Amino acid sequence: MLRIFGLLLSALLVLSACAQTPTSSQIGADGKPLPKVYKIRAGDTNDIQYRMLDSVNSLRQAAGLAPVDLDSKLNAAAATHARDMSIQNRPWHFGSDGSSPIDRVKRVGYSGQLVGENISETYETELETLAAWMDTPSTRTVILSPNARKMGFSWEQENNGKIWWTMVMGS
């Protein structure tokens, strides 16, 4: 009996040694889990754009506002600016050529008026970025503008995982 107990105890110790314990590389200095890199694949474009569109329209509906439609010209303006911010390595609303958001929507042939542009430099997903925009009064105003009828949304992701998000809202 003692021999069986000894074998069971030994087996339990061996199995407990095999259990995975968190390593210091999985927990940050603040004691919270480190974020995982959100890697966007080439084929994810439509899924991400429509997930953002659906989320924005849910927020707009909750605020009693009309939905917006995804616009290919505004998507092009957003993609151009996201790429340009990545090249400049700074998030701001002016292009490396001095262009403003108004200039960029005109360049792509958008016939409506610019309502606003939201930008972000982050490692977060599009929905985490949307949540951050909703927490900031100036970017929330763009998303929930009663004048908005069209939306463009795009990004540029660097090899290290950093994402430059751009949302353009038009009337």
Side-chain angles (χ1 to χ4, degrees), residues 8 16 20-21 23 38 47 81 92 103 107 119 127 132 140 147 149 154 171:
L8 286 175
S16 67
Q20 186 176 8
T21 57
T23 62
Y38 178 55
D47 290 343
H81 191 56
W92 72 324
D103 297 330
R107 280 185 194 159
I119 59 173
L127 297 182
R140 179 186 179 94
N147 298 326
R149 294 292 178 263
S154 196
S171 65

Coordinates of all heavy atoms in Angstrom, one line a residue, residues 8 16 20-21 23 38 47 81 92 103 107 119 127 132 140 147 149 154 171:
L8 N 2.1 6.8 -6.8 CA 1.1 7.8 -7.2 C 1.6 9.2 -6.9 O 1.4 10.1 -7.7 CB -0.2 7.6 -6.4 CG -1.1 6.4 -6.9 CD1 -2.3 6.2 -6.0 CD2 -1.6 6.6 -8.3
S16 N 2.8 17.4 -12.4 CA 2.7 18.8 -12.0 C 3.9 19.6 -12.6 O 3.8 20.8 -12.8 CB 2.6 19.0 -10.5 OG 3.8 18.6 -9.9
Q20 N 2.0 23.9 -17.5 CA 2.5 25.2 -18.0 C 2.2 26.3 -17.1 O 1.1 26.5 -16.6 CB 1.9 25.5 -19.4 CG 2.5 26.7 -20.0 CD 2.0 26.9 -21.4 OE1 1.0 26.3 -21.8 NE2 2.6 27.9 -22.1
T21 N 3.3 27.0 -16.7 CA 3.1 28.2 -15.8 C 3.4 29.4 -16.6 O 4.2 29.4 -17.5 CB 4.0 28.1 -14.6 OG1 5.4 28.0 -15.1 CG2 3.7 26.9 -13.7
T23 N 5.0 32.6 -18.0 CA 6.4 33.1 -17.9 C 6.4 34.6 -17.9 O 5.4 35.3 -18.2 CB 7.2 32.7 -19.2 OG1 6.6 33.3 -20.3 CG2 7.2 31.2 -19.3
Y38 N -1.6 41.9 -33.6 CA -2.8 41.7 -34.5 C -2.2 41.8 -35.9 O -1.9 42.9 -36.4 CB -3.8 42.8 -34.2 CG -5.0 42.8 -35.1 CD1 -5.8 41.6 -35.2 CD2 -5.4 43.9 -35.7 CE1 -7.0 41.6 -35.9 CE2 -6.6 43.9 -36.5 CZ -7.3 42.8 -36.6 OH -8.5 42.8 -37.4
D47 N -13.4 41.9 -44.9 CA -13.9 41.6 -43.5 C -13.7 42.7 -42.5 O -14.6 43.1 -41.8 CB -13.2 40.3 -43.0 CG -13.6 39.0 -43.7 OD1 -14.6 39.1 -44.5 OD2 -12.9 38.0 -43.6
H81 N -3.7 58.0 -47.1 CA -3.2 58.7 -45.9 C -2.6 57.8 -44.9 O -1.5 58.1 -44.3 CB -4.3 59.6 -45.3 CG -3.7 60.5 -44.2 ND1 -2.7 61.4 -44.5 CD2 -4.0 60.6 -42.9 CE1 -2.4 62.1 -43.4 NE2 -3.2 61.6 -42.4
W92 N -0.7 62.3 -38.1 CA -1.2 63.7 -38.2 C -2.1 63.8 -39.4 O -2.0 62.9 -40.3 CB -0.2 64.7 -38.1 CG 0.8 64.9 -39.2 CD1 1.3 63.9 -40.0 CD2 1.4 66.1 -39.6 NE1 2.1 64.5 -41.0 CE2 2.2 65.8 -40.7 CE3 1.3 67.4 -39.2 CZ2 2.9 66.8 -41.4 CZ3 2.0 68.4 -39.9 CH2 2.8 68.1 -40.9
D103 N -8.2 68.0 -49.3 CA -7.4 67.8 -50.6 C -7.4 66.3 -51.0 O -7.6 66.0 -52.2 CB -5.9 68.2 -50.4 CG -5.8 69.6 -50.1 OD1 -6.6 70.4 -50.5 OD2 -4.8 70.0 -49.4
R107 N -8.9 64.7 -54.5 CA -8.0 64.0 -55.4 C -8.6 62.6 -55.9 O -8.3 62.2 -57.0 CB -6.7 63.7 -54.7 CG -5.7 64.8 -54.7 CD -4.4 64.4 -54.1 NE -3.6 65.6 -53.7 CZ -2.6 65.5 -52.9 NH1 -2.3 64.4 -52.3 NH2 -2.0 66.6 -52.6
I119 N -7.7 59.3 -37.2 CA -6.5 58.6 -37.5 C -6.0 58.0 -36.2 O -6.4 58.4 -35.1 CB -5.4 59.5 -38.1 CG1 -5.1 60.7 -37.2 CG2 -5.8 60.0 -39.5 CD1 -3.9 61.5 -37.6
L127 N -11.6 47.3 -34.0 CA -12.7 47.5 -33.0 C -12.2 48.2 -31.7 O -12.8 49.0 -31.1 CB -13.4 46.3 -32.8 CG -14.1 45.7 -34.0 CD1 -14.9 44.4 -33.7 CD2 -15.0 46.7 -34.7
A132 N -11.6 53.4 -28.8 CA -10.8 54.6 -28.4 C -11.3 55.8 -29.0 O -11.3 56.9 -28.4 CB -9.3 54.3 -28.7
R140 N -15.2 61.1 -31.7 CA -16.6 60.6 -31.6 C -17.6 61.5 -32.4 O -18.5 61.0 -33.0 CB -17.0 60.6 -30.1 CG -18.4 60.2 -29.8 CD -18.7 60.4 -28.3 NE -20.1 60.0 -28.0 CZ -20.4 58.8 -27.6 NH1 -19.5 57.9 -27.3 NH2 -21.7 58.5 -27.3
N147 N -24.4 64.6 -40.4 CA -24.2 64.9 -41.8 C -23.6 63.7 -42.5 O -23.6 63.7 -43.8 CB -23.4 66.1 -42.0 CG -24.0 67.4 -41.4 OD1 -25.2 67.5 -41.4 ND2 -23.2 68.3 -40.8
R149 N -22.9 60.4 -44.4 CA -23.6 59.4 -45.2 C -22.7 58.3 -45.8 O -23.2 57.3 -46.2 CB -24.4 60.1 -46.3 CG -25.5 61.1 -45.9 CD -26.6 60.3 -45.2 NE -27.6 61.2 -44.8 CZ -27.7 61.7 -43.5 NH1 -26.9 61.3 -42.6 NH2 -28.7 62.5 -43.2
S154 N -9.4 52.5 -44.0 CA -8.3 51.7 -44.4 C -7.1 51.8 -43.4 O -7.2 52.5 -42.4 CB -7.8 52.2 -45.8 OG -7.0 51.2 -46.4
S171 N -20.2 63.5 -46.5 CA -21.7 63.7 -46.6 C -22.2 63.2 -48.0 O -21.4 62.9 -48.9 CB -22.0 65.2 -46.5 OG -21.5 65.9 -47.6

